[in-house]
Amino acid sequence: MVSESLKQIDPATLLWKAISRQNEFQAGNLRLNPEITIRTFKNQAKRYLQSERYEFTVAMKELLKPIATLDNEKVEYLIFRIYESFYRELHYWEDPRSRFSIDIVFQFIEFLCTEGPKEDLATVLQRETSLNKKEVESIITHIKVFNKLGAYFTKSPSLKKTIENGEPILTTIAAAHTEVTWLALESMFYLLVAQHALASKYSCESLLRGWMTEYGFDENQYAVVANYFPPGTSLHDFRGNYTSALRTLHGLANKEKPDYDLLLLRSIGNYFSSWIVRVAHQMEAGYQAA
């Protein structure tokens, strides 16, 4: 779910995802059919989808005990984790501030490129921002997972193949990173699909021309930014060039630092992000309607 999306969620499917991402399910200790289980959740919504922890635990025990090859204590611990995972999904959907956005990636890049003490990143972020420790750790985790997911796209022989393998790829990452919601992973996936689809048709030069036209900049301003993205630079290399440009600018002495360049770079970063989000949203809406 791309953060700007109006996509409707299906709580029953999210509860299924909360089960299927657990190690016990991945190891084959739970013999559940997805379609039948999701239908059960929908038919008994008050017991599974709208219940408090105690009622949820009772209902889930009835569902899992007959088919789980686990002892009673392990089943209860599994249900506890399923409940936490499911309500984390619902919270992610209900609170727009908690949603992953590619804007965060570019803000994070700039933060890493600024001059500062070489100390623990989480400590610096907490001190320099209004975020608490838990929020900082969550941002770092999400960005690491976003980069990990991006590696699948880089290694894949084709974008079509990656899209076809989307479900098992997301399931693998979801099982390894249970603290990241399935909705966030879906959002990351669509953003990466959009980025790679755009890179197959356009270059950084196309991006800069679109940015110049939409934001009303002239050829002089275009030339300033184009200096950091040489002709022929692929959209796949945008983040790398953007990072190198920021490091160069932040590495200059204050009297030499061209602040206007920095403002223009931030502007092109925002434009790149909005372009990807726009395309990702269109793709997501198309898949949902299909």
Side-chain angles (χ1 to χ4, degrees):
M1 177 207 53
V2 179
S3 59
E4 288 77 1
S5 171
L6 299 178
K7 171 184 174 180
Q8 297 302 306
I9 63 166
D10 178 7
T13 300
L14 287 182
L15 180 51
W16 168 255
K17 298 297 185 186
I19 294 173
S20 63
R21 73 188 301 167
Q22 302 301 323
N23 290 330
E24 290 85 348
F25 182 87
Q26 297 292 313
N29 298 132
L30 301 175
R31 299 181 296 276
L32 289 171
N33 176 276
E35 290 77 18
I36 294 174
T37 306
I38 289 173
R39 189 160 60 245
T40 299
F41 294 155
K42 290 181 176 180
N43 292 339
Q44 301 181 46
K46 289 185 178 179
R47 300 191 72 206
Y48 292 102
L49 308 178
Q50 303 159 11
S51 59
E52 298 297 329
R53 187 186 294 272
Y54 176 76
E55 290 78 11
F56 179 91
T57 301
V58 171
M60 197 60 73
K61 274 185 179 179
E62 292 178 9
L63 177 71
L64 297 184
K65 273 198 168 182
I67 54 87
T69 58
L70 301 166
D71 60 39
N72 184 61
E73 185 177 344
K74 288 182 178 179
V75 169
E76 289 193 358
Y77 181 51
L78 170 62
I79 293 172
F80 170 82
R81 284 184 279 118
I82 292 171
Y83 182 88
E84 292 295 315
S85 178
F86 175 53
Y87 277 89
R88 200 157 45 237
E89 297 286 348
L90 296 181
H91 174 72
Y92 182 89
W93 169 248
E94 292 165 356
D95 182 9
R97 295 172 302 175
S98 70
R99 299 181 195 171
F100 176 82
S101 168
I102 198 166
D103 292 341
I104 294 173
V105 176
F106 283 92
Q107 292 168 14
F108 193 73
I109 288 172
E110 179 158 358
F111 186 87
L112 288 175
C113 292
T114 57
E115 295 175 288
K118 305 298 181 184
E119 56 182 298
D120 178 67
L121 180 58
T123 302
V124 177
L125 274 170
Q126 191 177 344
R127 185 179 66 244
E128 300 295 334
T129 68
S130 60
L131 302 174
N132 60 41
K133 182 179 180 181
K134 186 175 181 180
E135 290 170 329
V136 167
E137 290 174 348
S138 177
I139 288 173
I140 294 174
T141 297
H142 278 71
I143 291 176
K144 286 180 178 178
V145 170
F146 181 67
N147 290 334
K148 185 174 182 179
L149 182 57
Y152 281 89
F153 285 78
T154 303
K155 295 175 183 177
S156 177
S158 71
L159 180 59
K160 182 176 181 291
K161 192 72 174 176
T162 306
I163 294 173
E164 290 173 350
N165 292 330
E167 189 77 11
I169 289 172
L170 290 177
T171 300
T172 299
I173 294 181
H177 300 277
T178 54
E179 69 277 28
V180 177
T181 64
W182 183 271
L183 289 174
L185 292 174
E186 276 191 341
S187 175
M188 294 176 189
F189 188 79
Y190 282 116
L191 289 168
L192 287 163
V193 168
Q195 179 179 327
H196 282 256
L198 287 169
S200 69
K201 296 181 179 181
Y202 304 102
S203 65
C204 281
E205 186 175 358
S206 305
L207 172 75
L208 297 184
R209 287 295 175 186
W211 161 81
M212 184 180 75
T213 301
E214 186 165 325
Y215 286 12
F217 290 122
D218 59 30
E219 288 290 341
N220 292 329
Q221 292 156 330
Y222 171 88
V224 169
V225 178
N227 183 51
Y228 300 106
F229 303 92
T233 301
S234 167
L235 279 181
H236 288 308
D237 298 323
F238 178 84
R239 276 176 62 185
N241 284 54
Y242 182 84
T243 302
S244 296
L246 285 176
R247 282 178 177 153
T248 298
L249 291 175
H250 285 299
L252 297 174
N254 287 331
K255 63 180 181 180
E256 301 172 341
K257 193 174 297 184
D259 291 332
Y260 193 52
D261 286 30
L262 190 56
L263 290 174
L264 290 177
L265 269 175
R266 287 172 180 158
S267 175
I268 193 65
N270 289 337
Y271 181 74
F272 179 70
S273 299
S274 65
W275 193 19
I276 290 176
V277 168
R278 211 160 46 231
V279 173
H281 188 183
Q282 291 167 357
M283 289 180 167
E284 185 182 45
Y287 285 127
Q288 189 179 18

